[in-house]
Amino acid sequence: MASTLFPGFKYSDSLSVVGISMCTAVICEAISWLLIYRTSSYKSLRSHIDKAAKKLETMKTTTDSSKTSKKSKSKKMDRVETSLKESSRDLSLFKFKSGAVVALVLFVVFGLLNSLFEGKAVAKLPFVPARIVQKMSHRGLQGDDYTDCSMAFLYFLCSISIRTNLQKYLGFSPPRGAAGTGFFPMPDPKSN
């Protein structure tokens, strides 16, 4: 159906998937803005994380020679680190509510695209992907030409790259102090 928009155009399926992915990214970021980024609680959490990260960075760069000041400095740094971790956790929980809505939008769009491009190669890869990637890049396609690219693979790559760059452009990327606070944060060296 999507290829009937430009029947003579060679890349119409690929451009349709990329265009739909771009529109989906804009819609998802608009939803996130409505539910998260425009609220005062998000702005205060983000500013608190930025301030704590800067304070921690300056505390780490300055050095004192006396032992008593080292102990107090270490305690202050621990308090700031703890505050930063708690604020980052709160920020992640705050973003969780829009995550469900965004996931629903992405599932609906993926289902729509899947029905439009079922069994159809939307692009041609210039290489044969690694075995691990072949199942996704060739998902739902007939034949043994692994340079054929399925809609799922192209949509996945576009969604990740476009949405991430759109977040950076709009200023919605996580604060720099909260960079390591994902599902798998870096372990704390002091706890070992």
Side-chain angles (χ1 to χ4, degrees), residues 2 4-5 27 32 35 61 69-70 72 77 80 92 108 127-128 140 144 148 154 180:
T4 59
L5 295 173
I27 289 169
S32 294
L35 296 177
T61 57
S69 64
K70 281 187 179 182
S72 64
M77 283 178 57
V80 171
S92 296
V108 168
F127 57 89
V128 176
D144 292 332
D148 286 342
L154 184 61

PDB file of all heavy atoms in Angstrom, residues 2 4-5 27 32 35 61 69-70 72 77 80 92 108 127-128 140 144 148 154 180:
ATOM      1  N   ALA A   2       1.928   1.242   0.796  1.00  0.00           N
ATOM      2  CA  ALA A   2       2.783   2.422   0.888  1.00  0.00           C
ATOM      3  C   ALA A   2       3.554   2.651  -0.409  1.00  0.00           C
ATOM      4  O   ALA A   2       3.851   3.777  -0.747  1.00  0.00           O
ATOM      5  CB  ALA A   2       3.747   2.275   2.049  1.00  0.00           C
ATOM      6  N   THR A   4       2.397   2.322  -3.327  1.00  0.00           N
ATOM      7  CA  THR A   4       1.526   2.904  -4.344  1.00  0.00           C
ATOM      8  C   THR A   4       1.556   4.430  -4.307  1.00  0.00           C
ATOM      9  O   THR A   4       1.066   5.062  -5.214  1.00  0.00           O
ATOM     10  CB  THR A   4       0.069   2.416  -4.162  1.00  0.00           C
ATOM     11  OG1 THR A   4      -0.374   2.800  -2.866  1.00  0.00           O
ATOM     12  CG2 THR A   4      -0.040   0.937  -4.363  1.00  0.00           C
ATOM     13  N   LEU A   5       2.110   5.028  -3.270  1.00  0.00           N
ATOM     14  CA  LEU A   5       2.242   6.477  -3.218  1.00  0.00           C
ATOM     15  C   LEU A   5       3.177   6.967  -4.321  1.00  0.00           C
ATOM     16  O   LEU A   5       2.912   7.966  -4.963  1.00  0.00           O
ATOM     17  CB  LEU A   5       2.768   6.922  -1.858  1.00  0.00           C
ATOM     18  CG  LEU A   5       1.872   6.675  -0.653  1.00  0.00           C
ATOM     19  CD1 LEU A   5       2.612   7.016   0.637  1.00  0.00           C
ATOM     20  CD2 LEU A   5       0.598   7.488  -0.770  1.00  0.00           C
ATOM     21  N   ILE A  27       5.922  12.622  17.595  1.00  0.00           N
ATOM     22  CA  ILE A  27       4.719  12.401  18.412  1.00  0.00           C
ATOM     23  C   ILE A  27       5.099  11.936  19.813  1.00  0.00           C
ATOM     24  O   ILE A  27       4.559  12.419  20.817  1.00  0.00           O
ATOM     25  CB  ILE A  27       3.775  11.396  17.725  1.00  0.00           C
ATOM     26  CG1 ILE A  27       3.139  12.040  16.497  1.00  0.00           C
ATOM     27  CG2 ILE A  27       2.699  10.895  18.677  1.00  0.00           C
ATOM     28  CD1 ILE A  27       2.398  11.066  15.598  1.00  0.00           C
ATOM     29  N   SER A  32       5.857  13.096  25.600  1.00  0.00           N
ATOM     30  CA  SER A  32       6.782  13.231  26.737  1.00  0.00           C
ATOM     31  C   SER A  32       6.821  14.664  27.241  1.00  0.00           C
ATOM     32  O   SER A  32       6.873  14.905  28.446  1.00  0.00           O
ATOM     33  CB  SER A  32       8.190  12.782  26.347  1.00  0.00           C
ATOM     34  OG  SER A  32       8.203  11.411  26.075  1.00  0.00           O
ATOM     35  N   LEU A  35       3.578  15.263  29.241  1.00  0.00           N
ATOM     36  CA  LEU A  35       3.470  14.545  30.511  1.00  0.00           C
ATOM     37  C   LEU A  35       4.644  14.780  31.461  1.00  0.00           C
ATOM     38  O   LEU A  35       4.498  14.597  32.669  1.00  0.00           O
ATOM     39  CB  LEU A  35       3.329  13.050  30.244  1.00  0.00           C
ATOM     40  CG  LEU A  35       2.065  12.604  29.500  1.00  0.00           C
ATOM     41  CD1 LEU A  35       2.100  11.116  29.237  1.00  0.00           C
ATOM     42  CD2 LEU A  35       0.818  12.987  30.272  1.00  0.00           C
ATOM     43  N   THR A  61      37.710  17.781  42.145  1.00  0.00           N
ATOM     44  CA  THR A  61      38.892  18.411  41.552  1.00  0.00           C
ATOM     45  C   THR A  61      39.745  19.160  42.566  1.00  0.00           C
ATOM     46  O   THR A  61      40.961  19.244  42.402  1.00  0.00           O
ATOM     47  CB  THR A  61      38.485  19.391  40.424  1.00  0.00           C
ATOM     48  OG1 THR A  61      37.586  20.361  40.953  1.00  0.00           O
ATOM     49  CG2 THR A  61      37.873  18.648  39.266  1.00  0.00           C
ATOM     50  N   SER A  69      40.335  17.492  57.139  1.00  0.00           N
ATOM     51  CA  SER A  69      39.524  18.040  56.060  1.00  0.00           C
ATOM     52  C   SER A  69      39.234  16.979  54.997  1.00  0.00           C
ATOM     53  O   SER A  69      38.218  17.047  54.331  1.00  0.00           O
ATOM     54  CB  SER A  69      40.191  19.260  55.443  1.00  0.00           C
ATOM     55  OG  SER A  69      41.413  18.901  54.846  1.00  0.00           O
ATOM     56  N   LYS A  70      40.139  16.008  54.871  1.00  0.00           N
ATOM     57  CA  LYS A  70      39.888  14.928  53.918  1.00  0.00           C
ATOM     58  C   LYS A  70      38.693  14.089  54.357  1.00  0.00           C
ATOM     59  O   LYS A  70      37.868  13.693  53.544  1.00  0.00           O
ATOM     60  CB  LYS A  70      41.113  14.032  53.753  1.00  0.00           C
ATOM     61  CG  LYS A  70      42.169  14.603  52.853  1.00  0.00           C
ATOM     62  CD  LYS A  70      43.275  13.596  52.610  1.00  0.00           C
ATOM     63  CE  LYS A  70      44.332  14.177  51.689  1.00  0.00           C
ATOM     64  NZ  LYS A  70      45.381  13.214  51.403  1.00  0.00           N
ATOM     65  N   SER A  72      36.157  15.043  56.329  1.00  0.00           N
ATOM     66  CA  SER A  72      34.923  15.817  56.192  1.00  0.00           C
ATOM     67  C   SER A  72      34.562  15.995  54.719  1.00  0.00           C
ATOM     68  O   SER A  72      33.391  15.962  54.350  1.00  0.00           O
ATOM     69  CB  SER A  72      35.048  17.170  56.876  1.00  0.00           C
ATOM     70  OG  SER A  72      36.030  17.962  56.250  1.00  0.00           O
ATOM     71  N   MET A  77      31.212  14.563  50.137  1.00  0.00           N
ATOM     72  CA  MET A  77      31.097  13.969  48.806  1.00  0.00           C
ATOM     73  C   MET A  77      30.109  12.802  48.817  1.00  0.00           C
ATOM     74  O   MET A  77      29.313  12.650  47.887  1.00  0.00           O
ATOM     75  CB  MET A  77      32.465  13.506  48.296  1.00  0.00           C
ATOM     76  CG  MET A  77      33.327  14.634  47.806  1.00  0.00           C
ATOM     77  SD  MET A  77      34.967  14.126  47.236  1.00  0.00           S
ATOM     78  CE  MET A  77      34.612  12.953  45.979  1.00  0.00           C
ATOM     79  N   VAL A  80      26.598  14.236  48.865  1.00  0.00           N
ATOM     80  CA  VAL A  80      26.229  14.778  47.553  1.00  0.00           C
ATOM     81  C   VAL A  80      25.960  13.640  46.569  1.00  0.00           C
ATOM     82  O   VAL A  80      24.999  13.689  45.789  1.00  0.00           O
ATOM     83  CB  VAL A  80      27.320  15.742  47.028  1.00  0.00           C
ATOM     84  CG1 VAL A  80      27.052  16.141  45.598  1.00  0.00           C
ATOM     85  CG2 VAL A  80      27.424  16.966  47.913  1.00  0.00           C
ATOM     86  N   SER A  92      13.936   9.108  37.106  1.00  0.00           N
ATOM     87  CA  SER A  92      13.589   7.910  36.327  1.00  0.00           C
ATOM     88  C   SER A  92      12.160   7.471  36.608  1.00  0.00           C
ATOM     89  O   SER A  92      11.425   7.114  35.690  1.00  0.00           O
ATOM     90  CB  SER A  92      14.548   6.767  36.651  1.00  0.00           C
ATOM     91  OG  SER A  92      15.844   7.092  36.260  1.00  0.00           O
ATOM     92  N   VAL A 108       1.501   0.398  18.413  1.00  0.00           N
ATOM     93  CA  VAL A 108       0.451   0.598  17.409  1.00  0.00           C
ATOM     94  C   VAL A 108       1.073   0.899  16.045  1.00  0.00           C
ATOM     95  O   VAL A 108       0.680   0.317  15.024  1.00  0.00           O
ATOM     96  CB  VAL A 108      -0.516   1.722  17.852  1.00  0.00           C
ATOM     97  CG1 VAL A 108      -1.416   2.152  16.712  1.00  0.00           C
ATOM     98  CG2 VAL A 108      -1.336   1.278  19.043  1.00  0.00           C
ATOM     99  N   PHE A 127      25.821  -5.024   2.889  1.00  0.00           N
ATOM    100  CA  PHE A 127      26.634  -6.067   3.503  1.00  0.00           C
ATOM    101  C   PHE A 127      25.710  -7.160   4.010  1.00  0.00           C
ATOM    102  O   PHE A 127      24.516  -6.973   4.145  1.00  0.00           O
ATOM    103  CB  PHE A 127      27.456  -5.496   4.657  1.00  0.00           C
ATOM    104  CG  PHE A 127      26.598  -4.832   5.697  1.00  0.00           C
ATOM    105  CD1 PHE A 127      26.071  -5.563   6.754  1.00  0.00           C
ATOM    106  CD2 PHE A 127      26.298  -3.486   5.604  1.00  0.00           C
ATOM    107  CE1 PHE A 127      25.264  -4.963   7.703  1.00  0.00           C
ATOM    108  CE2 PHE A 127      25.488  -2.876   6.551  1.00  0.00           C
ATOM    109  CZ  PHE A 127      24.973  -3.615   7.602  1.00  0.00           C
ATOM    110  N   VAL A 128      26.286  -8.316   4.281  1.00  0.00           N
ATOM    111  CA  VAL A 128      25.532  -9.383   4.930  1.00  0.00           C
ATOM    112  C   VAL A 128      25.741  -9.214   6.430  1.00  0.00           C
ATOM    113  O   VAL A 128      26.865  -9.257   6.911  1.00  0.00           O
ATOM    114  CB  VAL A 128      26.011 -10.777   4.467  1.00  0.00           C
ATOM    115  CG1 VAL A 128      25.287 -11.876   5.215  1.00  0.00           C
ATOM    116  CG2 VAL A 128      25.828 -10.932   2.967  1.00  0.00           C
ATOM    117  N   GLY A 140      10.632 -12.070   8.619  1.00  0.00           N
ATOM    118  CA  GLY A 140       9.418 -12.131   7.807  1.00  0.00           C
ATOM    119  C   GLY A 140       9.635 -12.121   6.305  1.00  0.00           C
ATOM    120  O   GLY A 140       8.673 -12.055   5.546  1.00  0.00           O
ATOM    121  N   ASP A 144      16.819 -16.438   0.688  1.00  0.00           N
ATOM    122  CA  ASP A 144      18.080 -16.549   1.419  1.00  0.00           C
ATOM    123  C   ASP A 144      19.012 -15.360   1.186  1.00  0.00           C
ATOM    124  O   ASP A 144      20.188 -15.421   1.519  1.00  0.00           O
ATOM    125  CB  ASP A 144      18.806 -17.836   1.024  1.00  0.00           C
ATOM    126  CG  ASP A 144      18.065 -19.074   1.506  1.00  0.00           C
ATOM    127  OD1 ASP A 144      17.358 -18.966   2.531  1.00  0.00           O
ATOM    128  OD2 ASP A 144      18.198 -20.133   0.867  1.00  0.00           O
ATOM    129  N   ASP A 148      18.695  -8.367   1.992  1.00  0.00           N
ATOM    130  CA  ASP A 148      17.363  -7.770   2.032  1.00  0.00           C
ATOM    131  C   ASP A 148      17.059  -7.321   3.454  1.00  0.00           C
ATOM    132  O   ASP A 148      17.333  -8.037   4.417  1.00  0.00           O
ATOM    133  CB  ASP A 148      16.288  -8.769   1.581  1.00  0.00           C
ATOM    134  CG  ASP A 148      16.298  -9.011   0.086  1.00  0.00           C
ATOM    135  OD1 ASP A 148      16.880  -8.182  -0.642  1.00  0.00           O
ATOM    136  OD2 ASP A 148      15.721 -10.023  -0.347  1.00  0.00           O
ATOM    137  N   LEU A 154      14.730  -1.792   9.750  1.00  0.00           N
ATOM    138  CA  LEU A 154      14.880  -0.391   9.369  1.00  0.00           C
ATOM    139  C   LEU A 154      14.158   0.520  10.352  1.00  0.00           C
ATOM    140  O   LEU A 154      14.692   1.547  10.773  1.00  0.00           O
ATOM    141  CB  LEU A 154      14.350  -0.165   7.945  1.00  0.00           C
ATOM    142  CG  LEU A 154      14.528   1.236   7.376  1.00  0.00           C
ATOM    143  CD1 LEU A 154      16.005   1.598   7.302  1.00  0.00           C
ATOM    144  CD2 LEU A 154      13.894   1.323   5.997  1.00  0.00           C
ATOM    145  N   GLY A 180      24.663   7.756  34.241  1.00  0.00           N
ATOM    146  CA  GLY A 180      24.869   6.350  34.554  1.00  0.00           C
ATOM    147  C   GLY A 180      23.730   5.725  35.320  1.00  0.00           C
ATOM    148  O   GLY A 180      23.893   4.695  35.939  1.00  0.00           O
TER     149      GLY A 180
END
